[in-house]
Amino acid sequence: MIQLAQLKKKTSLSAENLLLRGCILRNTEHVYGAVVYQGHDTKIMKNSANARYKLSKLEGQTTTSIISIFGVQVVMALIGAYLGTDWLVSNRESVNYLGDLLGDNKESFSTMLINQCGTWILIFTNFVPISLMVTLELVKFWQGMFMSSDYLMYDEEQDMPIRAQSSNLNEELGQVEYVFSDKTGTLTCNIMEFRKFTAGAKLYGTDQNPSPDDVQESNVRFHDPQLKLDLLDPKAPNHEALVRVLVFLSCCHTIIIDQKKGTYNAASPDELALVNAAKQFGFEFKGFDKNDNMVVENRNTGESLKYQLLHVCEFNSTRKRMSVILKDPQGRTVLMCKGADSVILERLNQKSLDSQVLKKTQQ
């Protein structure tokens, strides 16, 4: 419970009142809120970690090779320093012409060994290919430039070319053999298109693409001249069933209309496709009026239908369906439910299971 001083009343809060990080405020000027689940002791902060530096196989092999070469350089420098120091100490009197290399007579063997070790490391400096790393970085940089200018990887819808934000893994892209995905939406980009549906015992929609002159809503690619004939003719045998289906599509959802843009905001692309399909066929969801009634405009007849929303059972992975309870313009209480066919079919009564409509739909 939370009590607002301005409203002077207590209000119950639930999961529906929780705004997650990244939410956008729409269709309202302000909200009253209290910050919860914040700080370094929250689950999201405990599970967060710094981004791991990604290393390609080529870069890993190059680093290993350079370390190995440097190790060989140090070993050879130690061997050369030891042999050189031993020779200088043994022949100190006969090689006076070497001057400072001989050092002081009081200088110990270990001191001369350290000096000789530094000398031999400088002699073998060219062993380490320092220019190799610079060359690889330049090559990867230009590879990223070529990838960014590849027109085959240009996205016309978002007007965005590929962006190589990191050039460390360029050579790994050509070695991908398997793609593992946990859900189909990752591969389909969550693009849903409304192509066919059944109303009564009749199937609407063909495999043909709509003509360029046909105005199509987003997420809808539908072509069937018979639909318009049955929809505009009240005497058509399938007219009543068709109207019921389209009213169902325009009412059974949780879509919110963006008042500034006039577009639908849906929780899932399939829900957006269904509502846009109803809109294209003449049943447009217009939002809610002052009395919280769902308003559906039938553009085919010019009639405005109002449905009182009584309750919404939102979709979840357990129920695999969503339901709305409405009161239609005739005052009847109606339950509309949509979801996975396996869940809906097992809840049909025997009369519906034996009907020809179900058999035609399953075909």
Side-chain angles (χ1 to χ4, degrees), residues 22-242:
C23 290
I24 300 175
L25 187 64
R26 291 176 178 170
N27 297 340
T28 184
E29 295 181 356
H30 63 275
V31 294
Y32 294 99
V35 179
V36 295
Y37 298 117
Q38 58 85 29
H40 293 280
D41 293 331
T42 55
K43 186 176 181 180
I44 188 172
M45 291 296 293
K46 290 290 187 181
N47 293 335
S48 62
N50 295 329
R52 181 174 59 89
Y53 179 76
K54 296 181 180 180
L55 195 68
S56 64
K57 291 183 179 179
L58 177 61
E59 194 171 0
Q61 292 175 356
T62 304
T63 303
T64 303
S65 300
I66 291 177
I67 294 175
S68 301
I69 293 173
F70 181 75
V72 172
Q73 176 188 358
V74 172
V75 172
M76 293 183 65
L78 290 175
I79 294 174
Y82 178 80
L83 296 177
T85 303
D86 182 67
W87 185 84
L88 289 174
V89 172
S90 301
N91 301 277
R92 187 188 297 270
E93 297 180 356
S94 60
V95 288
N96 293 329
Y97 56 87
L98 293 179
D100 295 337
L101 289 177
L102 298 175
D104 191 359
N105 292 331
K106 298 180 180 180
E107 192 172 7
S108 63
F109 183 87
S110 59
T111 303
M112 295 181 63
L113 179 63
I114 294 174
N115 294 333
Q116 287 292 317
C117 185
T119 302
W120 283 96
I121 287 178
L122 291 176
I123 293 174
F124 294 135
T125 299
N126 292 332
F127 273 32
V128 180
I130 300 176
S131 60
L132 176 62
M133 301 299 295
V134 179
T135 304
L136 285 177
E137 289 298 325
L138 288 175
V139 170
K140 290 182 178 181
F141 171 77
W142 285 109
Q143 284 179 345
M145 296 295 293
F146 282 123
M147 292 165 61
S148 300
S149 60
D150 189 353
Y151 71 94
L152 295 177
M153 304 186 73
Y154 174 76
D155 188 358
E156 295 182 358
E157 293 184 0
Q158 300 183 8
D159 189 22
M160 180 184 299
I162 181 177
R163 290 185 297 180
Q165 297 181 351
S166 175
S167 60
N168 293 336
L169 305 175
N170 290 351
E171 65 276 5
E172 300 288 329
L173 294 177
Q175 302 178 20
V176 176
E177 296 181 357
Y178 303 97
V179 176
F180 297 93
S181 175
D182 60 340
K183 52 185 178 180
T184 57
T186 307
L187 302 178
T188 62
C189 301
N190 285 327
I191 298 176
M192 300 291 179
E193 290 185 342
F194 190 94
R195 300 294 299 268
K196 297 180 181 181
F197 74 103
T198 57
K202 191 171 184 179
L203 173 65
Y204 292 96
T206 63
D207 294 329
Q208 299 178 2
N209 291 325
S211 63
D213 298 333
D214 294 340
V215 179
Q216 300 285 321
E217 297 289 339
S218 61
N219 297 79
V220 179
R221 189 164 61 171
F222 185 88
H223 175 74
D224 192 346
Q226 186 62 38
L227 172 68
K228 190 173 183 180
L229 298 177
D230 291 347
L231 194 58
L232 297 179
D233 185 8
K235 298 181 180 180
N238 208 45
H239 175 78
E240 185 178 352
L242 183 58

Side-chain angles (χ1 to χ4, degrees), residues 260-312:
K260 294 183 179 179
K261 299 180 180 179
T263 57
Y264 291 148
N265 294 325
S268 61
D270 52 347
E271 189 172 62
L272 180 62
L274 295 176
V275 178
N276 276 335
K279 179 181 178 181
Q280 179 170 317
F281 303 147
F283 289 79
E284 181 179 358
F285 171 63
K286 304 293 289 186
F288 293 86
D289 61 8
K290 296 180 179 179
N291 298 323
D292 290 335
N293 294 322
M294 298 183 71
V295 180
V296 177
E297 181 181 353
N298 186 353
R299 296 200 302 266
N300 301 311
T301 61
E303 184 181 6
S304 182
L305 307 175
K306 294 185 178 181
Y307 295 84
Q308 182 182 356
L309 181 61
L310 302 178
H311 189 70
V312 177

